[in-house]
Amino acid sequence: MADTRPFLPVSSSDGSIPSEPLANRRKPMKVQLSIFFGLLTVGLLAALLTSNNGSDFVTDNEHGPLVSSTTATTKPETLQAVSRGPAAGVSEKSNRLFADENTVAFPWNNSMLSWQRTAFHFQPERNWMNDPNGPLFYKGWYHFFYQYNPHAPVWGDIVWGHAVSKDLIHWLHLPLAMVADHTYDKSGVWTGSATFLPDGKIVMLYTGSNADAVQVQNLAYPADHSDPLLINWVKYSGNPVLVPPPGILSKDFRDPTTAWLTSEGKWRFSIGSKINKTGVALVYDTKDFINYEKLDGLLRAVDGTGMWECVDFFPVSKTEENGLDTSVNNPDVKHVMKVSLDDDRHDYYAVGTYNEKNVTFIPDDPEIDVGIGLRYDYGVYYAAKTFYDQNKNRRVLWGWIGESDSEAADLQKGWASVQSIPRTVLLDKKTGTHLLQWPVEEIDSLRLNSYEFNQVTIQAGSVVPLEVGPATQLDIMAEFEIDKEALEKATGSNVTFSCSSSGGAIERGALGPFGLLVLADDSLSERTPVYFYIAKGSDGNLKTFFCNDQSRSSVAPDVKKQIYGSMVPVLKGENLSLRVLVDHSIIESFAQGGRTVITSRTYPTKAIYGAAKLFLFNNATEAGVSASLKIWQMNSAFIRPYPNLDNKSQ
């Protein structure tokens, strides 16, 4: 049976980290508690003796949060969840965690909320953002469009925001690209995709929700193709160009893909839908993006997966290490189909074969078909969209990272949601089943001073601090090697392990968990473990899991705290490796070169600013682990309005 005791005291290292005086090492838990309650008593006495000075300081004891004297007499607010999206015909956009609970709102202060805003992830200056739309590279600029509510930090009144960048890291906000100003998109300018024509011009197909909440497809294009910033967009006078076909409900017809050229010279694209509970991808051909032919059959359909949103379809090379234009189709490529499931708000993909003549996508392994198998990301990540970057011959992936706090907190801070760091996407040629996702190389330009730790020994049941300064903005590269003798001696079991159903990082097994504690305070009362767990079956075979445990990431009660993760293939001769990008309230983690990825949102109340620390841990009962790391402090990106648009640069 698993041992669920708390983490053991911090161990000394093997010499790779400068040794600390004994007094500075972690105290045993009983001593920590004695010190903690002693300090707490002193603090409470001081608070009683201090007049009302307007402090926003928040502390807590074993019974929950205690607010400052300025708010102690205020009755705590009970959170009420509000549904946003489904009534209009899209997936749920609010955090419904509190729908059936009497959860009390945490007394967030401005300092805490300000810390949550990211430093190098894209987000608008204020208000709500969701799906990425029509990303592209044009005349020296990367363009990013996104679902945006210009009026409030909640979903609604959706239009298209627009920003440009030279490097996918530093962004300049431009005026809104498209607003809800016609009957065919009066209820929302929803998700769409860009397609480059052979002459270099751009067309954009997007879903509009009309005045009757019917989902229709519309055509838009730049007003001036000579403008590298593509500031002004024209909506085709004949919109809508497509309406729901017979057999498809009015709210189940959305999110057209980028189009690809067929061997007959026609443009082909897909639109997500459902038939009863079967998720489907409809297919259309067009020669001019004005007249369309709906093809018989479906690109793919999977029973029981529900509504498919934000379908994406693209080729990946079986032989080369670069991305491919969406229209490439030859024996040296595989195709990837990705769907966003309305029912569970996760992005699933499958690798397989595209038959142009039969207009079908067949997954290589039906057991991991679209919607029931592999996911882009096992955390908070949805509505992802790729584009082919002809500037660097790569396929780049964007994804929406929603919030995991309460809507009340979002209203207080004035913004909600960010975008992931753009990722390159390649076929994992070693497994043949997985994709490899990796942060674009440009993110490395934000690296500042670095710290290296070589062959750090982490004994079973110990925690080792890593002295890297404030741990709020980090890029961490780490490799772990588990004791081989322990692997051999460990007893196998028929018990099935799952990250999400386990007890998280405090559930101890012979061979795990071990990894990093990020955004942790010095006492470890707040911490987010990012870790590996090795399970040994009764047959002696090993399975490695990559997990992220939010259950103790914050003492605030109005935060969704889940344990994310999945099995990650580890091939013969490979060490366990991970990369973690920490950017305030976002943690993006990549295992085994990006075979498995987890994104999480964390909202600590103590482990913020200079109090945010980084630790190694090994909570296995038997196996020792060694780790080698290189860690960079990260600079902030410049994300601001475009200066002086009247004199815009080329």
Side-chain angles (χ1 to χ4, degrees):
M1 182 174 290
D3 184 343
T4 57
R5 289 176 297 173
F7 291 113
L8 297 181
V10 174
S11 71
S12 60
S13 73
D14 65 345
S16 300
I17 299 177
S19 60
E20 298 178 77
L22 184 62
N24 290 337
R25 298 180 185 175
R26 305 218 68 77
K27 309 290 191 300
M29 184 59 70
K30 288 183 179 179
V31 177
Q32 290 185 34
L33 289 173
S34 299
I35 295 172
F36 174 76
F37 285 114
L39 292 173
L40 177 62
T41 302
V42 173
L44 288 173
L45 288 172
L48 290 171
L49 295 172
T50 305
S51 62
N52 216 359
N53 60 5
S55 170
D56 284 321
F57 178 77
V58 179
T59 184
D60 49 293
N61 66 8
E62 60 181 338
H63 303 296
L66 292 173
V67 299
S68 69
S69 56
T70 58
T71 56
T73 58
T74 303
K75 184 178 180 180
E77 176 189 359
T78 300
L79 296 171
Q80 300 294 326
V82 177
S83 178
R84 300 185 186 278
V90 293
S91 62
E92 182 63 64
K93 299 298 188 282
S94 67
N95 184 359
R96 302 304 306 281
L97 172 68
F98 315 110
D100 300 314
E101 302 176 16
N102 293 319
T103 303
V104 175
F106 186 79
W108 299 100
N109 61 42
N110 288 337
S111 178
M112 296 173 184
L113 295 177
S114 296
W115 177 89
Q116 292 175 13
R117 190 170 178 89
T118 62
F120 52 84
H121 283 73
F122 177 81
Q123 59 187 123
E125 293 181 288
R126 62 187 67 85
N127 296 325
W128 170 273
M129 171 179 64
N130 54 288
D131 304 8
N133 294 156
L136 55 90
F137 179 81
Y138 188 72
K139 292 186 181 296
W141 290 96
Y142 290 99
H143 290 257
F144 183 68
F145 305 90
Y146 54 93
Q147 300 281 276
Y148 180 58
N149 180 355
H151 304 127
V154 297
W155 185 88
D157 301 334
I158 295 298
V159 299
W160 275 31
H162 185 193
V164 292
S165 172
K166 288 288 187 179
D167 60 5
L168 291 170
I169 303 299
H170 305 288
W171 291 90
L172 298 171
H173 297 297
L174 292 175
L176 299 177
M178 290 191 284
V179 298
D181 56 1
H182 288 75
T183 57
Y184 51 78
D185 59 13
K186 183 178 181 180
S187 299
V189 185
W190 290 351
T191 294
S193 301
T195 299
F196 276 96
L197 303 180
D199 61 2
K201 293 183 178 179
I202 303 164
V203 293
M204 197 80 75
L205 287 176
Y206 73 93
T207 299
S209 180
N210 71 14
D212 298 318
V214 176
Q215 295 172 8
V216 298
Q217 310 312 314
N218 305 300
L219 172 66
Y221 45 86
D224 180 7
H225 274 93
S226 68
D227 175 16
L229 298 182
L230 301 175
I231 292 175
N232 297 311
W233 288 77
V234 175
K235 296 177 182 178
Y236 173 55
S237 60
N239 281 338
V241 294
L242 284 172
V243 298
I248 298 298
L249 299 181
S250 61
K251 293 183 179 180
D252 297 336
F253 183 62
R254 56 184 178 271
D255 309 337
T257 67
T258 293
W260 62 93
L261 271 174
T262 69
S263 59
E264 296 178 345
K266 297 179 180 178
W267 291 101
R268 180 169 292 172
F269 64 96
S270 182
I271 297 174
S273 187
K274 70 174 180 179
I275 300 173
N276 297 319
K277 275 294 186 178
T278 298
V280 302
L282 309 173
V283 187
Y284 289 84
D285 277 0
T286 181
K287 292 182 178 179
D288 54 13
F289 288 90
I290 295 173
N291 302 290
Y292 297 84
E293 175 191 3
K294 182 182 178 299
L295 303 185
D296 294 334
L298 301 164
L299 185 60
R300 191 66 185 160
V302 179
D303 293 342
T305 55
M307 177 66 196
W308 286 2
E309 299 187 297
C310 304
V311 175
D312 202 4
F313 190 67
F314 56 90
V316 287
S317 176
K318 295 192 294 184
T319 59
E320 299 178 359
E321 298 297 318
N322 56 267
L324 299 173
D325 181 87
T326 308
S327 297
V328 172
N329 185 22
N330 59 53
D332 291 329
V333 308
K334 285 288 186 181
H335 273 78
V336 175
M337 187 172 188
K338 166 262 167 184
V339 301
S340 301
L341 292 195
D342 190 353
D343 286 356
D344 69 7
R345 289 197 290 176
H346 295 307
D347 281 12
Y348 294 81
Y349 75 89
V351 176
T353 301
Y354 166 58
N355 187 308
E356 179 186 303
K357 182 178 180 181
N358 295 334
V359 198
T360 56
F361 168 79
I362 305 298
D364 288 344
D365 183 353
E367 295 296 317
I368 49 174
D369 203 345
V370 185
I372 62 173
L374 301 174
R375 284 164 45 183
Y376 271 168
D377 193 298
Y378 290 86
V380 183
Y381 191 87
Y382 193 65
K385 184 176 292 295
T386 67
F387 76 102
Y388 174 62
D389 175 14
Q390 71 274 27
N391 181 46
K392 290 195 171 183
N393 296 319
R394 59 186 176 179
R395 183 156 291 272
V396 177
L397 171 68
W398 284 95
W400 165 41
I401 303 173
E403 301 292 332
S404 299
D405 61 353
S406 68
E407 185 173 286
D410 295 341
L411 289 167
Q412 187 178 350
K413 67 190 180 187
W415 58 270
S417 303
V418 300
Q419 298 292 329
S420 66
I421 293 299
R423 306 169 182 174
T424 57
V425 179
L426 293 170
L427 177 66
D428 181 3
K429 298 172 183 60
K430 293 181 180 179
T431 65
T433 55
H434 287 62
L435 296 177
L436 297 177
Q437 303 172 57
W438 201 248
V440 292
E441 61 185 2
E442 289 88 341
I443 193 68
D444 297 356
S445 67
L446 296 181
R447 289 172 171 171
L448 298 172
N449 50 311
S450 64
Y451 305 83
E452 290 194 53
F453 305 88
N454 296 311
Q455 295 297 309
V456 181
T457 297
I458 321 160
Q459 299 295 340
S462 65
V463 178
V464 177
L466 296 173
E467 299 300 334
V468 297
T472 289
Q473 295 174 212
L474 298 177
D475 186 356
I476 306 166
M477 302 280 281
E479 282 198 354
F480 296 87
E481 188 171 357
I482 193 166
D483 179 62
K484 291 182 173 58
E485 185 177 348
L487 284 175
E488 293 293 330
K489 289 183 177 179
T491 302
S493 170
N494 288 322
V495 176
T496 301
F497 180 83
S498 166
C499 294
S500 59
S501 62
S502 72
I506 65 168
E507 180 169 322
R508 306 183 68 188
L511 305 176
F514 56 88
L516 295 164
L517 302 178
V518 300
L519 295 179
D521 69 330
D522 197 49
S523 69
L524 300 183
S525 62
E526 290 184 330
R527 59 185 187 268
T528 302
V530 179
Y531 59 95
F532 293 102
Y533 187 102
I534 299 176
K536 189 172 186 177
S538 56
D539 57 3
N541 290 329
L542 302 175
K543 289 185 178 180
T544 303
F545 295 83
F546 182 54
C547 313
N548 183 308
D549 179 4
Q550 293 182 294
S551 59
R552 292 162 182 80
S553 61
S554 174
V555 300
D558 56 348
V559 171
K560 194 172 185 178
K561 304 168 192 174
Q562 294 183 282
I563 303 170
Y564 302 116
S566 177
M567 189 177 74
V568 56
V570 179
L571 306 184
K572 185 177 181 180
E574 292 182 344
N575 284 337
L576 297 173
S577 65
L578 63 81
R579 182 179 186 180
V580 182
L581 292 174
V582 182
D583 185 9
H584 295 258
S585 59
I586 288 181
I587 303 169
E588 291 190 77
S589 307
F590 305 79
Q592 300 308 109
R595 279 187 198 131
T596 300
V597 184
I598 306 172
T599 299
S600 62
R601 299 300 306 275
T602 59
Y603 306 88
T605 64
K606 305 172 187 177
I608 58 177
Y609 300 107
K613 307 295 183 181
L614 179 67
F615 299 84
L616 285 166
F617 82 96
N618 176 11
N619 214 28
T621 59
E622 298 179 16
V625 175
S626 66
S628 296
L629 309 92
K630 188 165 186 179
I631 303 166
W632 292 265
Q633 290 281 345
M634 294 291 278
N635 205 348
S636 299
F638 292 101
I639 303 175
R640 60 190 188 278
Y642 196 105
N644 195 8
L645 276 175
D646 291 337
N647 298 312
K648 59 183 181 290
S649 61
Q650 298 298 311

